[in-house]
Amino acid sequence: MPLGVVVDLDDTLYPQADYLASAAAAVGVAAGHAGLDGAAVHAALRSELAAGSDTGGTIDRALLAVGVPASALAGLVPPLVAAFTRHTPPRLTPYPGAEEALRALAAAAPLACLTDGNPAIQAAKVAATGLGPLLPVVVVTDTLGGRVVRKPHPAGLLAVSTRLGLPPERLLVIGDRPGKDVAVAAAVGARAIRVRQGEYAAAPDEPRAWAVVDTFPAAAELALDLVGALARG
């Protein structure tokens, strides 16, 4: 039975900071249309996102930071959140060598992408990277039950296992976050390669991955070696 390779998206295939900067600019424009200081909201939102991109409530905190009273948030936040979620970046450039490495993986093993987040946002990101044709299976965990089934919850990886027709322990996960990508692999008895890049590059290696590298191409090379070794028996 072959080994399937499962790749993360954000900060694994491309720098998520590029998407966040683009989306924050869109929110700044929408804030200007709402009568706020769009440049100030843009700057405050970028600061909030830099402090932690998946903490939630970033737009609320950005508005408070520029002096918007808490009593006004209920009317202002929803259209700004809509501007963020509907934003379609024109282009997100993959990390150097990522496209070639992904192409090699796609030719050698069953391949899938497992990513957390708003489904519309994640679809826009995949399209903007231009990597969609190399990812025959894309599972967005939020479609399986919302934020509560985001990695390291095993639901997403089990869904990938079903889509690829492989037992979960026959998967190899490549991702940047130990607490999500490595942990979700461990939850189903699979291997993981951690890539030290992006927002969580300095995060401690806990839980420990099967291997730790600095770039996605290096991770792909290890994955290809393992695929070949297992195929040879």
Side-chain angles (χ1 to χ4, degrees):
M1 186 172 289
L3 183 75
V5 179
V6 184
V7 298
D8 175 51
L9 175 62
D10 299 311
D11 279 338
T12 297
L13 297 180
Y14 83 100
Q16 183 176 222
D18 292 352
Y19 168 77
L20 294 175
S22 181
V27 172
V29 171
H33 291 162
L36 301 172
D37 183 338
V41 171
H42 177 201
L45 181 55
R46 290 198 67 171
S47 178
E48 291 293 337
L49 290 170
S53 63
D54 64 353
T55 56
T58 51
I59 292 177
D60 303 58
R61 293 194 298 274
L63 293 181
L64 292 173
V66 299
V68 173
S71 59
L73 292 183
L76 290 170
V77 169
L80 299 186
V81 169
F84 191 100
T85 58
R86 295 173 184 168
H87 174 62
T88 302
R91 174 65 174 161
L92 293 172
T93 303
Y95 281 115
E99 181 174 356
E100 295 78 5
L102 200 61
R103 195 177 303 278
L105 287 172
L111 182 63
C113 176
L114 178 64
T115 180
D116 294 334
N118 179 294
I121 291 176
Q122 299 310 100
K125 291 174 180 176
V126 171
T129 63
L131 299 176
L134 298 175
L135 297 169
V137 172
V138 177
V139 172
V140 182
T141 55
D142 286 38
T143 64
L144 304 174
R147 296 179 69 94
V148 295
V149 294
R150 290 184 177 183
K151 296 176 281 187
H153 194 288
L157 199 53
L158 293 175
V160 168
S161 170
T162 298
R163 293 278 299 275
L164 293 181
L166 293 170
E169 65 271 16
R170 295 294 296 184
L171 300 177
L172 172 65
V173 178
I174 301 175
D176 65 295
R177 295 184 65 173
K180 282 182 172 281
D181 304 305
V182 178
V184 74
V188 302
R191 294 179 176 92
I193 299 174
R194 186 259 176 107
V195 185
R196 290 182 184 271
Q197 58 189 17
E199 182 178 346
Y200 294 89
D205 288 314
E206 182 59 41
R208 290 288 300 175
W210 176 71
V212 179
V213 295
D214 292 328
T215 67
F216 183 77
E221 184 176 354
L222 284 179
L224 290 168
D225 288 344
L226 181 60
V227 167
L230 292 177
R232 292 189 297 271

